[in-house]
Amino acid sequence: MTDFQEVYDLYFREVFRYALSLCRNESLAEEITQETFYKALAKLDSFDGKCKISVWLCQIAKNTWISECRRRKRLSPLPGKEIASPDSDPSARMETSEGAMEVLRAAHQLDEAMKEVFLLRTCGERDFASI
């Protein structure tokens, strides 16, 4: 990897789609994606090449999302209540077919490892060998 801009250009869409599958909010997914690439650039020397760079970037995105969830939980005015995102778009959520929503609801019931496999396969368009 000689040029980080090339890595960014190659993997931005994939990381964004993965982040969007986690948070289901375009604005937040953009923030997570930008934070992911910022962290990746800062830790580029720690990438050992044992996995594909896209897998490494998605793992950073996942950890960034988990950190964001923890931060939001700390900021929540009532225990157990999530803060509604001011830029969430209910109409965009309504455009999703009911069948797809059922699949997503079921996916969110999976344990973290299985959920990650499901998301990488469906949203990340990965084959099972790379997962």
Side-chain angles (χ1 to χ4, degrees):
M1 277 181 297
T2 58
D3 184 17
F4 194 76
Q5 182 65 43
E6 184 179 327
V7 171
Y8 181 86
D9 293 341
L10 283 171
Y11 297 105
F12 176 85
R13 286 180 49 94
E14 184 174 348
V15 173
F16 174 76
R17 283 193 320 250
Y18 180 69
L20 184 59
S21 74
L22 293 173
C23 68
R24 298 179 310 272
N25 178 299
E26 285 192 33
S27 296
L28 184 55
E30 287 177 17
E31 289 178 35
I32 290 170
T33 302
Q34 293 301 324
E35 183 69 17
T36 296
F37 281 99
Y38 173 77
K39 289 177 180 179
L41 181 58
K43 302 266 185 191
L44 194 56
D45 59 334
S46 70
F47 179 68
D48 57 14
K50 291 182 181 177
C51 65
K52 291 182 178 180
I53 188 124
S54 59
V55 173
W56 182 64
L57 291 168
C58 286
Q59 185 63 43
I60 294 171
K62 177 184 168 189
N63 291 338
T64 302
W65 167 241
I66 291 169
S67 295
E68 177 65 18
C69 288
R70 288 181 182 144
R71 184 188 70 78
R72 286 175 179 239
K73 187 175 181 180
R74 281 193 312 269
L75 296 177
S76 181
L78 299 173
K81 301 287 184 186
E82 285 189 42
I83 298 173
S85 176
D87 56 352
S88 63
D89 181 10
S91 63
R93 290 193 306 263
M94 295 293 284
E95 293 175 6
T96 306
S97 72
E98 188 59 30
M101 290 304 293
E102 287 179 37
V103 170
L104 286 174
R105 281 188 212 107
H108 285 287
Q109 300 301 316
L110 298 171
D111 65 58
E112 286 300 313
M114 290 304 294
K115 187 186 306 182
E116 185 170 357
V117 169
F118 172 81
L119 293 172
L120 284 170
R121 177 73 176 126
T122 57
C123 300
E125 299 177 0
R126 299 227 163 253
D127 61 1
F128 286 111
S130 69
I131 295 172

